[in-house]
Amino acid sequence: MCVFNYAVAILADPGWVPSAYMPDIEDSKVSIHEIKRKGGDLRYCQKCSHFKPPRAHHCRICKSCILRMDHHCVWINNCVGHANYKAFFVFVVYAVIACFYSLVLLVGSLNIDSRINEQQRDSFRIVYVVSGLFLLPFSVALSVLLGWHIYLILQNKTTIEQYHEGVRTLCLAEKGGTVYQHPYDLGTYENLLSVLGPNIFCWICPTTRHIGDGLHFQTSYDTIPAVSK
């Protein structure tokens, strides 16, 4: 499953922005529109020559705009975006499980090692040391990565939204004396379902039938009931 999800994350389309995409500012179903920091115009990519949907960003490595872009991952030689984010996340989950499973096997092998002769024990000990040197830091690094993306999923954020846009928006909110609330945060449970899907039995599989078109996202404003006058 680890190798399978790794292959899916590499080969899957991260979600390209349609060249004919045009934001409809008069659509009452769209509660927010993302604009440029300077000028207040709708976001437009000069390199791709089209408008950017909400949460989309241009990747200078892929040379294209990616829907709900999280980051460009060198380990899969692909962008992690709207269409392959779940496959990437599930791959990291299986990779962490595989690392700790390998560590358990490594420790268990020490008991078997004590029952063999001294010459074989020395040769196996070298293998154990080399394996441990690879597995321990690899397990820690992947566990940190997994924890980071669990946090992002529960907040319904991407790495770009958390690191770049989030920090800037928080600073602007503090200067204006307001409290910033991420517009795509629907609550922990709804955030989880938006990424992993409504069927809990499909959470361990890289299914994507539930993710939508990536051009429109539900916001917290959509769930606020209108106040009657």
Side-chain angles (χ1 to χ4, degrees):
M1 289 300 292
C2 179
V3 174
F4 173 72
N5 282 276
Y6 181 58
V8 172
I10 292 175
L11 301 175
D13 178 359
W16 312 108
V17 177
S19 58
Y21 170 75
M22 180 67 66
D24 186 1
I25 59 175
E26 296 182 355
D27 188 358
S28 59
K29 295 181 180 179
V30 180
S31 55
I32 61 173
H33 290 280
E34 295 182 358
I35 59 177
K36 294 181 180 179
R37 296 192 302 272
K38 296 180 180 180
D41 298 327
L42 292 174
R43 297 192 310 147
Y44 186 85
C45 182
Q46 299 292 342
K47 296 179 180 179
C48 297
S49 299
H50 59 61
F51 287 96
K52 293 181 182 179
R55 315 184 80 178
H57 296 276
H58 185 86
C59 176
R60 67 174 185 272
I61 300 175
C62 294
K63 298 180 180 179
S64 180
C65 287
I66 307 298
L67 296 171
R68 195 184 179 275
M69 180 178 173
D70 187 88
H71 68 287
H72 185 92
C73 181
V74 296
W75 303 107
I76 65 174
N77 192 32
N78 196 6
C79 265
V80 178
H82 177 68
N84 67 342
Y85 182 80
K86 182 183 177 182
F88 172 79
F89 175 75
V90 175
F91 155 66
V92 175
V93 171
Y94 281 116
V96 171
I97 294 173
C99 283
F100 283 102
Y101 176 67
S102 300
L103 284 173
V104 171
L105 292 179
L106 189 63
V107 173
S109 298
L110 295 175
N111 296 328
I112 301 176
D113 187 33
S114 61
R115 305 171 190 171
I116 60 179
N117 59 58
E118 187 175 350
Q119 184 177 0
Q120 289 179 314
R121 186 183 308 166
D122 292 337
S123 61
F124 278 116
R125 189 169 295 146
I126 296 175
V127 175
Y128 296 154
V129 171
V130 174
S131 299
L133 289 176
F134 275 105
L135 276 174
L136 282 175
F138 205 54
S139 300
V140 172
L142 282 174
S143 297
V144 172
L145 180 64
L146 176 60
W148 168 248
H149 280 281
I150 289 175
Y151 166 78
L152 291 178
I153 289 175
L154 297 180
Q155 300 291 323
N156 203 353
K157 292 182 180 180
T158 64
T159 300
I160 293 176
E161 290 170 348
Q162 175 64 27
Y163 266 133
H164 303 286
E165 297 178 349
V167 173
R168 184 174 61 248
T169 308
L170 281 173
C171 292
L172 292 175
E174 288 180 359
K175 289 181 180 179
T178 59
V179 178
Y180 171 71
Q181 180 182 0
H182 185 56
Y184 301 105
D185 186 359
L186 307 176
T188 302
Y189 182 68
E190 291 296 330
N191 293 341
L192 199 62
L193 295 184
S194 67
V195 174
L196 300 181
N199 189 346
I200 192 173
F201 297 104
C202 294
W203 286 7
I204 59 174
C205 303
T207 55
T208 57
R209 288 180 294 180
H210 63 282
I211 61 175
D213 59 7
L215 301 175
H216 307 91
F217 295 93
Q218 185 180 0
T219 69
S220 57
Y221 304 109
D222 300 331
T223 60
I224 298 176
V227 178
S228 58
K229 296 182 180 180

